Amino acid sequence: MTDRLTITRPDDWHLHLRDGAMLAAVAPESARHFARALVMPNLVPPVVTGAQASAYRDRILAALPAGHDFTPLMSLYLTEATDPADVVSAYNQGIITAVKLYPAGATTNSASGVRDMDRIRPVLEAMAEQGIPLCVHGEVTDASVDIFDREAVFIETALDPLRRATPGLRVILEHVTTSEGVDYVRANDNIAATITTHHLVINRNHILAGGIRPHYYCLPVAKRETQRQALLDAATSGDPRFFLGTDSAPHPDKAKLAPCGCAGCFTASNSMAILAHVFEQTGALERLEGFTSLHGAAFYGMARNTGTLTLIRESADTPRQIDTIDGPVTVFDPGFTPDWRVAE
Ligand code: NCD
Ligand code: ZN
């Protein structure tokens, strides 16, 4: 049995770092294990221009601990008013790595998202031409669609038409949670998907059976066990179209443990230990590196990291919470103690 596993330093292709005091509290957690992260733009107000992305990147860099080895990669929040020229210029200057499409109202801070897909056609066409990737929050927001069906309906009614109308556009289906999503990625070109840590661990029973557990509530909501198995199969298959995007999304406990609690699981601190455990349980420990460290960089056309991360077979308690000025943020509890820990 392997007791030490050294892999290429991982990247997190979907991360929420927030701003201000929360940014200061959570940025070191990601910087400890990850070389790069694609930072989501859903601040209040959102990061919609290249200039705002550049200023946000400066704030992130200022919040990192001395001697860190972490590069924030920026994304822009796509709105119906986004100027294609600004997107192209920000990309060509190396300020942004991708553009994020939130259907209006789909998730936390998505009120300025897109309502009418036709209005973003010129931006999408410019992106396809320039090779700028589009990250997609893949859920419809129609109140008449059941929350557990929103991803599958989005793929059929919004994602597929969007991709057909913009040939060559490179798309990442973010935090895929369904077999429909996995199958769609497998069946098409120019599309990949991120998979979160928590969706590989929990199904909807963990949220609702035997008491409601707000810390397991995130969007897209975790689905049936058969769907979790489909995600596990995709993540551990070695297929380069699937890679890690933790979607680590900190909310203070007081905002989670409320009559209308926020969506988001905070997994930056223990993702790598949990993933090593889960991959080993699935008999796929040798494919962990591809999922966490190689496939995403390849899809984004970036070099793989030169640094490494070492995991040691040793159970260790991870901190249960991170302290912030707004009170504690609870770290995702996988429901087991991982057999692995990251060598610090
Ligand atoms: C994210 C957040 O809190 O910003 N929440 C979540 O449940 N994943 C937003 C998102 O990625 O949907
Ligand atoms: Zn997210």
Side-chain angles (χ1 to χ4, degrees):
M1 247 209 288
T2 328
D3 287 325
R4 273 178 90 83
L5 178 67
T6 297
I7 60 173
T8 303
R9 201 165 174 79
D11 296 316
D12 183 349
W13 293 101
H14 184 132
L15 175 65
H16 298 272
L17 284 177
R18 314 301 191 203
D19 214 341
M22 183 64 91
L23 167 63
V26 301
E29 296 300 300
S30 288
R32 192 170 293 142
H33 298 163
F34 295 92
R36 297 175 288 205
L38 183 61
V39 181
M40 291 297 127
N42 62 331
L43 304 181
V44 191
V47 180
V48 296
T49 65
Q52 288 167 353
S54 176
Y56 183 31
R57 180 170 63 184
D58 289 345
R59 297 199 296 280
I60 295 168
L61 290 171
L64 289 167
H68 71 84
D69 175 20
F70 178 79
T71 306
L73 304 172
M74 308 311 291
S75 63
L76 279 190
Y77 188 115
L78 183 56
T79 75
E80 291 177 11
T82 297
D83 174 8
D86 183 56
V87 171
V88 171
S89 143
Y91 183 77
N92 289 335
Q93 288 176 71
I95 296 168
I96 62 158
T97 297
V99 174
K100 176 80 184 274
L101 166 61
Y102 289 97
T107 188
T108 309
N109 306 337
S110 63
S112 351
V114 175
R115 282 183 176 77
D116 179 356
M117 296 286 177
D118 286 337
R119 302 189 70 162
I120 56 170
R121 295 236 43 81
V123 188
L124 298 183
E125 263 147 38
M127 288 171 60
E129 204 179 294
Q130 299 284 325
I132 305 173
L134 178 73
C135 302
V136 177
H137 183 111
E139 288 190 290
V140 291
T141 54
D142 184 342
S144 69
V145 178
D146 189 274
I147 188 170
F148 292 100
D149 298 333
R150 287 180 180 189
E151 182 174 294
V153 172
F154 180 89
I155 291 166
E156 203 182 310
T157 63
L159 181 60
D160 193 57
L162 178 151
R163 289 186 56 259
R164 282 177 195 279
T166 326
L169 181 66
R170 291 172 73 68
V171 173
I172 302 94
L173 178 57
E174 295 297 334
H175 39 49
V176 64
T177 58
T178 58
S179 54
E180 286 89 342
V182 166
D183 292 346
Y184 185 79
V185 169
R186 285 186 174 138
N188 288 282
D189 292 329
N190 283 332
I191 182 160
T194 53
I195 300 179
T196 76
T197 310
H198 50 281
H199 287 119
L200 292 175
V201 173
I202 60 166
N203 61 41
R204 64 197 205 179
N205 278 8
H206 292 94
I207 314 171
L208 295 169
I212 187 162
R213 291 185 173 73
H215 289 302
Y216 290 150
Y217 175 63
C218 68
L219 288 169
V221 69
K223 304 197 168 55
R224 292 174 179 276
E225 175 60 11
T226 47
Q227 304 283 16
R228 185 185 75 90
Q229 290 293 339
L231 303 181
L232 204 49
D233 184 61
T236 61
S237 65
D239 186 331
R241 289 168 295 187
F242 299 99
F243 44 84
L244 176 64
T246 66
D247 194 17
S248 181
H251 293 276
D253 280 359
K254 63 182 182 212
K256 293 282 297 174
L257 309 176
C260 183
C262 290
C265 297
F266 180 68
T267 56
S269 312
N270 55 359
S271 268
M272 289 310 297
I274 293 171
L275 290 169
H277 182 101
V278 167
F279 271 63
E280 185 172 57
Q281 293 286 310
T282 318
L285 192 57
E286 76 284 359
R287 295 192 181 143
L288 177 69
E289 182 183 41
F291 180 70
T292 62
S293 316
L294 308 179
H295 301 164
F299 189 81
Y300 276 95
M302 300 177 76
R304 61 173 68 171
N305 299 311
T306 50
T308 59
L309 181 95
T310 296
L311 290 139
I312 300 174
R313 182 190 301 285
E314 204 172 271
S315 293
D317 288 331
T318 34
R320 285 166 192 272
Q321 60 185 48
I322 301 294
D323 291 319
T324 78
I325 289 173
D326 294 325
V329 170
T330 293
V331 177
F332 176 71
D333 173 6
F336 54 81
T337 306
D339 288 340
W340 294 83
R341 70 172 178 85
V342 175
E344 306 284 351

